[in-house]
Amino acid sequence: MYALVALISGLVFGLGLAFSEMTNPAVVLGFLDIFGDWNPSLMIVMASAIAVGMIGYTIKNKRIKPLLADDWQIPSLRHIDKKLIIGSGLFGIGWGLSGYCPGPGLTALTNNPSEGFYFITALILGSAIYQLQNRISH
């Protein structure tokens, strides 16, 4: 049942990305181009995501435990640290340069294979560098 819910959730998420054109890097880059041909559609996508998240937290606060797990998997860290700032900065820079974040980047493997390959390769390489650095520092 858990795998089925995960599959359906992933499909709904992917369809939402495709329907809102967030798989098209030109739309994302158009949102970031506030002094040029600005495209505000990403704000609607963000507002929708926040609304869904608020509904999720409302449901979570009314239930003792989830339907398909033993306990809630909520992040415990509540402070802003160096790792968060650097990680979010790198994510934003990568997103701004390419127009892709990880979900739409995967779809680019079929929509635009050459760009998708470079993006996913950089994503995997960046993740590997982080894992290596994390092992060395701990």
Side-chain angles (χ1 to χ4, degrees):
M1 189 59 153
Y2 182 80
L4 180 62
V5 170
L7 175 66
I8 292 169
S9 298
L11 288 172
V12 169
F13 178 71
L15 286 171
L17 287 175
F19 180 73
S20 63
E21 292 194 58
M22 291 301 110
T23 57
N24 180 355
V27 172
V28 175
L29 294 173
F31 174 74
L32 298 173
D33 187 11
I34 58 175
F35 297 113
D37 190 20
W38 187 59
N39 179 353
S41 62
L42 186 53
M43 270 198 297
I44 296 166
V45 174
M46 288 182 194
S48 300
I50 290 168
V52 169
M54 289 173 68
I55 292 168
Y57 270 101
T58 301
I59 292 169
K60 179 233 173 253
N61 289 335
K62 291 182 179 189
R63 298 190 54 84
I64 295 171
K65 71 177 208 135
L67 291 174
L68 301 175
D70 293 329
D71 60 350
W72 295 104
Q73 301 292 315
I74 305 296
S76 59
L77 293 178
R78 304 245 178 220
H79 65 280
I80 297 173
D81 62 1
K82 185 171 131 181
K83 282 180 168 180
L84 178 63
I85 292 170
I86 291 170
S88 57
L90 288 172
F91 179 90
I93 290 167
W95 194 27
L97 288 173
S98 68
Y100 292 117
C101 65
L106 286 173
T107 67
L109 290 172
T110 57
N111 298 343
N112 192 348
S114 61
E115 273 188 20
F117 174 77
Y118 290 124
F119 177 81
I120 296 299
T121 301
L123 177 73
I124 291 169
L125 227 132
S127 297
I129 291 169
Y130 169 78
Q131 292 296 325
L132 180 64
Q133 178 271 331
N134 206 29
R135 275 193 222 131
I136 291 170
S137 66
H138 287 94

